[in-house]
Amino acid sequence: MSDKPVLTTRQGHPVHNNQQQRTVGSRGPATLENYHFLEKISHFDRERIPERVVHARGFVAHGEFEAYGTIGDEPASTYTRAKLFQTKGKKTPLTIRFSTVIGGRDSSEAARDPRGFAVKFRTEDGNWDVVGNNLQVFFIRDAIKFPDVIHSLKPDPVTFRQEPNRIFDFMSNTPESMHMITWLFSPYGIPKNYRTMRGSGVNTYRFVNAQGEGVLVKFHWLTQQGEHNLTQEQADAVQATELGHASKDLYEAIERGDFPKWELNVQIMSDDEHPELDFDPLDDTKIWPRERFPYLPVGMMTLNRNVTDHHNENEQAAFGTGVLIDGIDFSDDKMLVGRTFSYSDTQRYRVGPNYLQLPINRPREDVVVSTNQGGGQMSYGVDNRGANPHINFEPSGVAGLSEADESYREYRPFVSGQIMRAPIERQNNYKQAGETYRGFEDWERDELISNFVTLLGQCEKAIQEKMVWHFSQCDDDYGRRVADGLGLDYSALRA
Ligand code: HEM
């Protein structure tokens, strides 16, 4: 007798023979009543769920966040009543998913691509997700353009190749993308691995305190492992032998007890339009200058546990910008509003309508989920309905659930205006891109130029010229160097 557990079917029936189907004689034909075989093969046929439409390749780890109790020099309560920040040393469990954006589920982790940095805090007030990237800005500032920017970056619908001509056709007609692509085609577009990159929430949120006062806030994760990126040549060497080097690096570090850390910092601004700035604070193609809006440390994240199952904890994990807790609210950022619809919409399709019942997505054990929602495919838990399970509606004079007290009253910003479709006023598409270009080290600028020359070299001349013109608006040296690399007459283009 073996001491291994006995193999069963999903019905719990012990399986005596897992090597052969039931057949008529040893050569067949096979019989159809073979339940064990049918269960095994039909479950296998359904092993995959649709991969994420973006950020398909990712890797998950678990850990904790330890609060400093302060935000910069102030008690955390000055800015937000969110409970996880209030007390020095308070620990909140969390889950993080790092990812690339464009490639499929098994694609290279050394690709030039933004990296996803999605954190799910499991707080006493329920889950809070910060769904960010390693880069601090984004390609577009209006959610209606998201399918277009992603289509341009994804493989061609006919050839199924990622085509530079399609990418730069879109970017050259989207001037607000210049800042993002200046970062993306520099070495920051290929972080050395997940442990050595930073993260940013990119979009703007609001902190709300116990007095009901709000401030605008941006979230940043600063790696404690040192920030390191790869040149294109180094990345090519990595992906020649290993497509999953970043997942491997993170998994192995956690297995050997070398737990990576990131410090959470916030930038804060008063909650108004800030006419004194030359950009709109809600424009996600802009960085809030650090000199003016300093990074204020809030706490430290440590990753200390690997997943036990990739499918359950990664493929079925669902992060979203709408998953906020009391004390953290939406801003009027119109990208953020669009994102907030998109995440849970795709998750109801990709994972299923009861995705929030799954262990990876539901709140932590001591948070009692009390709703009157029920049913739907794959429902297995029943939420708490109070003392009387017959009452699945609210209000009820008999039993049921009650609303939370006044301390949970939502922030109530005043909004008035004409409904329209219009771009924002302070676009300033080139200035910060130029500053970013000039801020790079020499080797980083050399890489940026070389990457653009290589890829634009595969594009039509009209697209090359348009891109050079945009670069010239960011910085004269930037435009000139790309033009020279492409053999274009810069002074004619600049005129
Ligand atoms: C309007 C713009 C955007 C839309 C409509 C959008 C939509 C989506 C969708 C549909 C997914 C797949 C989610 C899933 O299947 O679970 C996703 C994933 C993701 N997005 Fe966005 N996105 C937008 C912009 C951004 C921006 C600006 C960032 C960075 C700050 C970002 C970061 C991420 C990350 C990190 C993931 C992966 C989450 C995970 O690991 O499961 N997205 N996005």
Side-chain angles (χ1 to χ4, degrees), residues 135-139 179-180 183 202 284-287 432:
L135 303 176
Q136 297 170 63
V137 291
F138 202 62
F139 300 97
H179 193 191
M180 176 69 165
W183 284 106
V202 179
D284 68 3
T285 69
K286 301 296 186 298
I287 290 176
Q432 287 201 1

Side-chain angles (χ1 to χ4, degrees), residues 65-69 84-91 298-300:
F65 173 76
E66 184 168 344
Y68 294 159
L84 79 165
F85 294 135
Q86 303 304 320
T87 319
K88 182 173 161 49
K90 179 168 178 146
K91 290 185 176 170
V298 175
M300 188 71 80

Side-chain angles (χ1 to χ4, degrees), residues 8-29:
T8 70
T9 65
R10 271 272 167 90
Q11 304 284 8
H13 307 149
V15 173
H16 173 249
N17 183 335
N18 194 36
Q19 314 307 318
Q20 280 93 27
Q21 304 175 57
R22 269 160 69 104
T23 49
V24 181
S26 63
R27 295 183 55 245

Side-chain angles (χ1 to χ4, degrees), residues 102 139 148-155 162 166-167 171:
I102 296 300
F139 300 97
D148 299 302
V149 66
I150 296 301
H151 285 175
S152 80
L153 290 160
K154 285 269 191 187
Q162 197 180 36
R166 289 161 33 82
I167 297 173
M171 301 300 168

